[in-house]
Amino acid sequence: MKTRALGQFGRVLPVVFVLASLFVEAQEPPTPTWQPVRRNLYLSKDPDRAVPEVFVAARTVTTLRFELPCDPARTRMLGWEGRFEPLLVGGGSVVIVPLRELAPDDRFMLVVTLTDGTSLPFTVTAAKDVVDGQIDVFPDSESPEAVRVELRARQAENRSLRAENWRYRREETSVEHALATLLANNETALTPFRVEEKWRPPTPELDAEVSILLPKGRTARGRAAVVFQITNLTTGKPWTLQEARLMDAATLEKKPFALRASAASIAPGETGRIAIVMDLPPPESVKTGDMLVLELFGNAGLRQGYVELDLSALAARVRR
């Protein structure tokens, strides 16, 4: 469904803001751009083990890597004609390239035979959340190389988890996230913000009130906030914020922000608040026409609204 032009249903707020109507028409997200991932696959010697799956996408190269060389004459995929490029088999690699997207129920049997005579079956199917870029296959999960690779993977995972925990701890103690928490809990009076503008766009399924907040003193001089108070008017399903994005309108560069919600989802008949606090660039660095775009994506990942902020006009408002 196409989003209508801003002038048909939007509103130009004095000097600073342009708001597009939220939640009126959900815009289909663009076709996902697959980011191929690399993973390790450790096979079991149990004869009852499930056949491992390989997730592929159109015109995306998926490579299976083995510890031993593959036998090209005995490596084959059934029913590949017209759906895939011919398999490329060389050394310890098997390369799969689909010519077009597969249907969710498409499944192709791939049998890879190594030079020692070991035959390994795989099921090639359509990518779901991710597409396989490279799979490092270890037929013997207890081989020295498999153990070394698994150890490195566990160490990398532990480092990532420690970094993520540190990031969460920093968020919990950061000023921006603390302010967003207060705003989401409707404690605006406890923050250094004032409500600059409010707007209630026409919405068929959600009663949404949008508030723009600016600093009322020096404490938050370099910040601004946007608060969405949303009442779910539907009778059958909760509304959930899937993602929020803040970008430079000209370069599409993503900008950091703090987000807090009063609830994970908003049930039918219930009201919730979503608060976003962002840093503002120094006024002397802002040029006429500099804009930030804040986008909201709701149920099923559909874009359901956006807010545009004119940074040059915003700087003038903050200085007064």
Side-chain angles (χ1 to χ4, degrees), residues 155-173:
Q155 291 172 337
E157 182 180 3
N158 287 337
R159 288 194 296 270
S160 177
L161 289 174
R162 286 197 297 269
E164 186 175 3
N165 288 336
W166 173 245
R167 179 173 63 84
Y168 284 145
R169 288 197 296 270
R170 288 184 62 188
E171 284 186 359
E172 292 301 325
T173 58

Side-chain angles (χ1 to χ4, degrees), residues 162-300:
R162 286 197 297 269
E164 186 175 3
N165 288 336
W166 173 245
R167 179 173 63 84
Y168 284 145
R169 288 197 296 270
R170 288 184 62 188
E171 284 186 359
E172 292 301 325
T173 58
S174 73
V175 173
E176 291 80 7
H177 284 85
L179 292 173
T181 299
L182 289 172
L183 294 173
N185 292 331
N186 202 18
E187 299 286 354
T188 306
L190 299 179
T191 73
F193 290 111
R194 69 175 190 272
V195 176
E196 180 76 9
E197 300 284 354
K198 278 189 178 182
W199 184 47
R200 189 181 296 276
T203 55
E205 295 186 347
L206 299 169
D207 179 17
E209 180 182 81
V210 185
S211 300
I212 309 297
L213 296 93
L214 296 180
K216 60 185 177 183
R218 295 184 178 277
T219 306
R221 181 60 59 90
R223 301 183 182 96
V226 182
V227 176
F228 305 91
Q229 181 165 295
I230 300 167
T231 301
N232 187 349
L233 302 180
T234 65
T235 57
K237 61 181 180 180
W239 185 86
T240 302
L241 175 68
Q242 299 289 342
E243 184 183 3
R245 298 177 189 168
L246 182 67
M247 297 183 296
D248 183 290
T251 66
L252 301 185
E253 176 188 358
K254 291 185 178 180
K255 300 294 185 179
F257 59 91
L259 184 149
R260 286 292 184 265
S262 59
S265 62
I266 302 174
E270 298 295 323
T271 298
R273 290 168 64 89
I274 298 168
I276 293 169
V277 176
M278 66 196 74
D279 288 331
L280 298 176
E284 60 272 13
S285 69
V286 175
K287 303 184 297 295
T288 301
D290 285 352
M291 305 283 289
L292 290 179
V293 177
L294 174 62
E295 297 180 295
L296 294 185
F297 295 82
N299 291 350

Side-chain angles (χ1 to χ4, degrees), residues 62-235:
T62 297
T63 303
L64 278 66
R65 288 281 303 159
F66 300 87
E67 293 180 276
L68 294 177
C70 304
D71 184 347
R74 292 186 292 171
T75 296
R76 61 193 182 278
M77 181 163 58
L78 302 181
W80 67 270
E81 295 86 351
R83 309 295 294 276
F84 297 83
E85 293 183 2
L87 287 180
L88 296 178
V89 184
S93 299
V94 175
V95 178
I96 306 169
V97 184
L99 295 172
R100 59 179 182 272
E101 296 292 356
L102 305 183
D105 56 350
D106 282 341
R107 304 178 75 79
F108 299 86
M109 178 60 70
L110 168 68
V111 178
V112 177
T113 303
L114 306 180
T115 52
D116 67 352
T118 303
S119 291
L120 304 172
F122 302 88
T123 299
V124 179
T125 188
K128 297 179 176 65
D129 298 323
V130 296
V131 60
D132 288 319
Q134 178 171 322
I135 304 177
D136 296 312
V137 183
F138 299 94
D140 182 1
S141 61
E142 297 180 357
S143 71
E145 181 61 21
V147 172
R148 283 195 293 270
V149 170
E150 176 68 5
L151 178 60
R152 288 197 297 268
R154 295 296 183 187
Q155 291 172 337
E157 182 180 3
N158 287 337
R159 288 194 296 270
S160 177
L161 289 174
R162 286 197 297 269
E164 186 175 3
N165 288 336
W166 173 245
R167 179 173 63 84
Y168 284 145
R169 288 197 296 270
R170 288 184 62 188
E171 284 186 359
E172 292 301 325
T173 58
S174 73
V175 173
E176 291 80 7
H177 284 85
L179 292 173
T181 299
L182 289 172
L183 294 173
N185 292 331
N186 202 18
E187 299 286 354
T188 306
L190 299 179
T191 73
F193 290 111
R194 69 175 190 272
V195 176
E196 180 76 9
E197 300 284 354
K198 278 189 178 182
W199 184 47
R200 189 181 296 276
T203 55
E205 295 186 347
L206 299 169
D207 179 17
E209 180 182 81
V210 185
S211 300
I212 309 297
L213 296 93
L214 296 180
K216 60 185 177 183
R218 295 184 178 277
T219 306
R221 181 60 59 90
R223 301 183 182 96
V226 182
V227 176
F228 305 91
Q229 181 165 295
I230 300 167
T231 301
N232 187 349
L233 302 180
T234 65
T235 57

Side-chain angles (χ1 to χ4, degrees), residues 27-48:
Q27 183 184 54
E28 291 288 346
T31 301
T33 300
W34 295 109
Q35 296 295 329
V37 299
R38 180 175 180 176
R39 63 184 174 100
N40 300 324
L41 178 60
Y42 304 93
L43 302 182
S44 169
K45 295 180 180 180
D46 184 351
D48 296 327

